[in-house]
Amino acid sequence: MIGKPQFHGPVARSCDEEGYRNYCNLLLDGFKIRVFLNDAEQIEYTAANPEEGWVRVILPSNSLSARRILKGFVEIRIERTSRPGRT
């Protein structure tokens, strides 16, 4: 997407996954993070890696454990929503 800020590294919502530090730092810096796979926003994602082209999502049938890796064109779009929360 031209003209929109993007993040090119991995992000993850879980502390035991690669990209968790990136996710936390973006939030602390006041960014909203949106993950897209083939231009479709992924709401229930746990991790995403645009360089490797995959998103790990939670399956709607069993949100406690069932996850699936979807592959394709991944974009992590970021938007500043607030001032940085760092001190």
Side-chain angles (χ1 to χ4, degrees):
M1 179 174 232
I2 297 173
K4 295 286 184 179
Q6 294 183 27
F7 187 77
H8 297 282
V11 295
R13 290 177 166 168
S14 178
C15 64
D16 62 342
E17 296 188 78
E18 179 186 5
Y20 180 69
R21 180 173 285 183
N22 292 339
Y23 180 81
C24 291
N25 285 336
L26 286 167
L27 292 177
L28 285 171
D29 286 340
F31 286 99
K32 177 181 178 181
I33 303 164
R34 296 171 62 203
V35 172
F36 290 81
L37 176 66
N38 300 326
D39 285 326
E41 187 168 8
Q42 304 299 302
I43 303 299
E44 298 296 327
Y45 73 92
T46 62
N49 190 323
E51 294 172 348
E52 295 180 6
W54 59 263
V55 176
R56 184 175 299 119
V57 297
I58 299 170
L59 297 177
S61 61
N62 184 354
S63 63
L64 295 177
S65 61
R67 288 172 171 72
R68 172 189 258 170
I69 293 180
L70 306 175
K71 295 188 177 192
F73 179 69
V74 177
E75 289 180 287
I76 299 172
R77 300 177 191 170
I78 57 175
E79 177 183 343
R80 176 133 0 236
T81 59
S82 64
R83 299 179 78 156
R86 297 175 189 250
T87 56

